[in-house]
Amino acid sequence: MLRFLSHPKEKSRAPSGSNRMGLDPTPAAPIYADDEEVRGLCDLYSPEPTSCAHVRDLADVLLELRKITDEQYGRLRREAIGKPGLDPTTWFLKEGIVGPNDVLEAKARLNGLEFRRLSPEEVDKEVFKKLELDFIKRSSIVPVRVEGNLLHVATGEPTNIFALEDVKRQTGMDVRAHVCPPEDIAAVCEALHEEPVGEVLDDIINDLTEVEVVQDTDEVGEDLEKMAGQSPVIKFVNYLISNAVHEGASDIHIEPKEKETRIRYRIDGVLFDAMQAPQKMHPAIVSRIKIMANLDISERRVPQDGKVAARVGGRSIDLRISVLPTNHGEKTVIRILDSRSITRGIENVGMEPEVSKVFREQVALPHGILLVTGPTGSGKSTTLYSALGEMDGKTLNISTVEDPIEYELETCNQVQVNEKTGLTFAAALRSLLRQDPDIIMVGEIRDNETARIAVQAALTGHLVLSTLHTNDAATSVTRLVNIGIEPYLIAASLNAAVAQRLVRRICPKCKKPFNVPDHMRKYIEKAGGDPNQIIHGAGCDACRGSGYVGRAGIFELLVIDDKFRDMIHTDTSVSNMRRAFRESGRDTLFDDGIKKIIQGTTTLEEVLRVTEMYGTTEDEEFTENLH
């Protein structure tokens, strides 16, 4: 047994480090009865230097997901040495390395949960009613669907286990959660909690008819402003916008006719009749929209353009307003720009893996020109924004010249073209070259001057991204020649061209097998598909009877290699460039569309609609057989 002997009072030790009055600053050790025995025990139980086992945290998960680089991970760990308790979430967000959704995805994986986006269409309306709306908003948990006694929920706060237990208690069901962004939950709440559309619209229309109508005179500015400020008009315009966002519309068309005002939504690239309003209320509706966009409500003889920042369904959206005089009044078109469409990343725009891989390689090049081509509304800007969003804005100077700026990116310096002040594409691009840029995005190459400056920028060590209106990728070379750029400059500066179209996705709620016509089966088989496994949408309430919900991209990618460069020097005709592209073995838009059909993404009719319309269906026999 070990026995400790106390020091006599007269020999008590001074505090550690004290040297006053001749006291020994070294602390005295306790005195043991058996010194040898104790020394052996001390050697046996002496503690090793303190070392904390590393616990897997958010930074480790972000690295696993490749949201951060090894260098960024190491920098966090080095800073954490001098700052105990440093929160990786706060640090990464403050440094602008990752976004809130990246952090949320990492938290989900850290807690063993799945992260995915949630749309109102995925939520069962009856299941949604199992929890009170206030509780859903407060706890950021929304019921999605039921399987037996299992309730599937989506949460925006994966660490709030108490809220999940509360859901289990309230519903008396087992709960399985996945994680989604809080703005998705807000959008679901707003979409599913609204009163029935018919009742709301009828009430608003009835109120509109009671508004006093002014006569069509030249001096109606004050009266129109008064009308536009009345509650029924405000409600109606707000309803138009919010309902369009919920329906997934990209544009709202407000068209004055002789007896009524027709309102149509463009959904998935196709216009649908949405509702009608009294024709006599058209001036008040347009004036309300003008007031929102800070336009002149008294001027109804010339076109006007403006923009509005709005918040719908818990998320911010931008509205582009265009007003055009017609024979029955001012036609108004509202373009809805939702920033969520550019946060999906390159992997989610619809590119096949091999195309996505080559496209990423082109985006990573230090200099040259990368063109994205296609008609208006084919998703060119979304593809370019997705590429810019994946670039390292911390170490690169990224600048854009746009008309207009469709989406705001934190990592870019964006310039708005203003023709009235002389700030054209060419002028802005010329000034940007004096701003030490690494990457330049030009909204569109429209003329010789802009194209020439873009080529010069590419030749002097800058990466230039831009769009061009051509039917396919190969034609982009011919278009640059027609604009006035010498072939030798194109051969030296152009890296690649991507052509794209948007096709509508098959509605998942009404998809069913489709009997492919005999004369078309060989094209499916040639692409490696089974003609008996092809599907299409029959039409249901969820897709407004169209058989389609949402859109996906089809692509063709032309990479300018040595063979193409030699060809550009000799013959840049459309037929020659298209023939060379087919000989390169890469998929055309039509080929990529057939792959999307085999995957069950879209239908034969959709692929032919977007390829035949612009003359990009390469197989003439296919087209002839179809008709």
Side-chain angles (χ1 to χ4, degrees):
M1 180 180 294
L2 300 178
R3 290 180 290 108
F4 291 89
L5 301 179
S6 302
H7 287 278
K9 289 183 180 180
E10 62 272 20
K11 294 184 180 180
S12 62
R13 294 175 294 155
S16 175
S18 174
N19 60 1
R20 293 185 180 181
M21 300 180 66
L23 294 177
D24 185 356
T26 304
I31 301 174
Y32 299 97
D34 190 334
D35 198 46
E36 290 296 328
E37 182 181 0
V38 171
R39 203 160 31 240
L41 288 173
C42 287
D43 291 340
L44 182 62
Y45 291 101
S46 59
E48 296 180 359
T50 303
S51 64
C52 298
H54 176 67
V55 179
R56 184 168 176 264
D57 62 7
L58 192 78
D60 296 298
V61 180
L62 287 170
L63 185 63
E64 293 170 9
L65 294 172
R66 309 311 302 170
K67 302 294 185 181
I68 61 174
T69 64
D70 293 330
E71 190 277 330
Q72 292 166 341
Y73 178 85
R75 188 149 58 93
L76 168 68
R77 294 306 182 202
R78 288 192 295 272
E79 291 201 20
I81 294 175
K83 299 178 182 178
L86 179 65
D87 180 23
T89 301
T90 304
W91 189 82
F92 282 125
L93 290 175
K94 182 179 178 182
E95 293 290 317
I97 296 173
V98 297
N101 285 350
D102 295 327
V103 172
L104 196 59
E105 183 178 357
K107 285 183 177 180
R109 176 171 289 196
L110 197 59
N111 287 274
L113 301 176
E114 177 192 5
F115 174 85
R116 60 185 177 87
R117 303 304 297 259
L118 179 70
S119 66
E121 293 77 18
E122 298 177 67
V123 180
D124 188 310
K125 294 182 179 179
E126 294 302 318
V127 175
F128 178 78
K129 298 175 183 177
K130 286 184 175 292
L131 295 176
E132 295 291 335
L133 183 65
D134 290 341
F135 176 82
I136 293 174
K137 292 181 176 180
R138 185 174 65 253
S139 61
S140 193
I141 294 180
V142 60
V144 179
R145 68 181 188 277
V146 170
E147 293 179 357
N149 195 47
L150 181 63
L151 175 64
H152 291 265
V153 301
T155 176
E157 299 177 3
T159 58
N160 190 354
I161 59 175
F162 299 105
L164 293 173
E165 286 296 325
D166 203 2
V167 172
K168 185 176 181 180
R169 180 186 58 79
Q170 290 186 44
T171 61
M173 305 176 70
D174 295 328
V175 175
R176 177 178 295 173
H178 77 261
V179 181
C180 72
E183 60 264 27
D184 288 3
I185 294 177
V188 169
C189 290
E190 184 162 343
L192 299 187
H193 183 64
E194 285 190 338
E195 301 176 57
V197 172
E199 296 178 14
V200 174
L201 187 57
D202 289 344
D203 291 342
I204 294 176
I205 294 295
N206 289 336
D207 290 340
L208 274 176
T209 58
E210 298 175 3
V211 177
E212 183 181 354
V213 181
V214 297
Q215 298 299 319
D216 188 14
T217 63
D218 291 333
E219 299 178 355
V220 295
E222 293 184 4
D223 291 330
L224 279 175
E225 186 172 1
K226 180 181 178 182
M227 287 176 59
Q230 294 186 39
S231 179
V233 178
I234 295 175
K235 283 183 180 180
F236 184 75
V237 172
N238 290 347
Y239 174 80
L240 281 184
I241 296 171
S242 63
N243 188 53
V245 172
H246 294 155
E247 292 283 342
S250 61
D251 300 88
I252 305 171
H253 290 245
I254 304 172
E255 303 169 335
K257 301 300 177 181
E258 185 177 358
K259 297 182 179 180
E260 76 278 332
T261 292
R262 182 171 67 167
I263 297 167
R264 296 191 290 172
Y265 293 160
R266 185 178 294 279
I267 302 174
D268 299 334
V270 178
L271 282 170
F272 291 89
D273 284 330
M275 63 195 78
Q276 292 182 349
Q279 201 281 335
K280 64 180 182 179
M281 296 312 308
H282 185 80
I285 294 170
V286 174
S287 296
R288 172 58 190 169
I289 296 172
K290 285 183 177 181
I291 289 173
M292 293 170 62
N294 292 319
L295 302 179
D296 185 356
I297 65 171
S298 63
E299 181 56 78
R300 295 181 291 163
R301 299 165 298 178
V302 298
Q304 296 188 67
D305 297 305
K307 61 181 180 179
V308 179
R311 191 167 185 84
V312 178
R315 67 182 189 269
S316 298
I317 61 172
D318 289 326
L319 307 175
R320 295 285 184 264
I321 312 297
S322 176
V323 182
L324 178 69
T326 67
N327 58 333
H328 291 296
E330 293 177 291
K331 177 186 176 183
T332 304
V333 176
I334 303 175
R335 167 65 59 88
I336 301 172
L337 300 174
D338 186 355
S339 59
R340 290 199 310 182
S341 63
I342 65 165
T343 60
R344 298 176 296 178
I346 293 176
E347 68 278 1
N348 293 321
V349 299
M351 290 184 182
E352 293 297 307
E354 60 271 19
V355 177
S356 177
K357 178 177 180 294
V358 177
F359 182 75
R360 288 177 186 273
E361 291 172 354
Q362 295 298 319
V363 170
L365 291 176
H367 55 80
I369 297 177
L370 172 62
L371 294 176
V372 180
T373 74
T376 300
S378 59
K380 302 186 299 297
S381 296
T382 299
T383 298
L384 286 181
Y385 275 114
S386 297
L388 291 176
E390 294 193 0
M391 294 179 178
D392 186 4
K394 299 280 292 182
T395 59
L396 297 172
N397 179 13
I398 307 172
S399 300
T400 73
V401 184
E402 304 169 67
D403 184 24
I405 296 174
E406 295 189 11
Y407 305 102
E408 293 188 4
L409 296 176
E410 292 293 332
T411 57
C412 300
N413 305 294
Q414 296 172 274
V415 178
Q416 168 71 57
V417 169
N418 189 339
E419 300 281 352
K420 294 180 181 179
T421 62
L423 186 60
T424 61
F425 274 108
L429 188 53
R430 192 180 296 109
S431 296
L432 276 183
L433 291 178
R434 296 191 288 269
Q435 293 277 319
D436 185 31
D438 295 300
I439 296 168
I440 300 172
M441 195 270 273
V442 183
E444 182 184 348
I445 293 179
R446 299 177 177 175
D447 51 43
N448 176 271
E449 188 177 9
T450 303
R452 192 166 295 279
I453 298 173
V455 168
Q456 292 172 355
L459 293 175
T460 54
H462 306 90
L463 179 63
V464 180
L465 310 179
S466 188
T467 67
L468 202 62
H469 287 284
T470 62
N471 288 341
D472 53 24
T475 313
S476 58
V477 176
T478 308
R479 179 60 53 84
L480 289 175
V481 172
N482 293 339
I483 287 176
I485 305 301
E486 292 80 359
Y488 75 91
L489 290 177
I490 300 173
S493 60
L494 185 61
N495 292 339
V498 181
Q500 72 176 78
R501 299 288 187 277
L502 292 178
V503 292
R504 292 182 290 175
R505 291 180 180 270
I506 296 173
C507 174
K509 294 187 177 181
C510 62
K511 61 183 180 182
K512 68 175 188 179
F514 172 67
N515 186 22
V516 180
D518 292 338
H519 60 275
M520 299 183 186
R521 298 173 78 89
K522 65 177 182 179
Y523 299 98
I524 304 296
E525 294 170 349
K526 181 180 177 181
D530 183 356
N532 297 317
Q533 300 296 321
I534 303 302
I535 62 173
H536 77 142
C540 63
D541 292 339
C543 60
R544 299 165 300 279
S546 67
Y548 302 98
V549 172
R551 289 191 289 180
I554 59 175
F555 301 84
E556 67 178 27
L557 174 60
L558 165 66
V559 177
I560 307 297
D561 55 17
D562 292 338
K563 179 182 177 181
F564 270 100
R565 296 187 198 283
D566 293 339
M567 193 172 300
I568 291 173
H569 285 294
T570 57
D571 184 3
T572 58
S573 64
V574 172
S575 58
N576 189 46
M577 297 307 299
R578 284 180 174 171
R579 182 173 60 253
F581 178 78
R582 288 195 295 269
E583 291 173 355
S584 70
R586 295 189 179 275
D587 288 339
T588 64
L589 286 168
F590 180 73
D591 296 330
D592 195 42
I594 294 294
K595 288 184 177 180
K596 296 296 191 298
I597 294 170
I598 295 172
Q599 295 166 5
T601 302
T602 189
T603 64
L604 244 120
E605 293 87 351
E606 271 298 287
V607 172
L608 289 172
R609 179 179 68 85
V610 300
T611 55
E612 275 195 294
M613 185 183 300
Y614 299 102
T616 56
T617 302
E618 299 295 341
D619 198 315
E620 295 180 1
E621 181 187 353
F622 186 98
T623 306
E624 291 174 359
N625 286 334
L626 177 69
H627 299 296

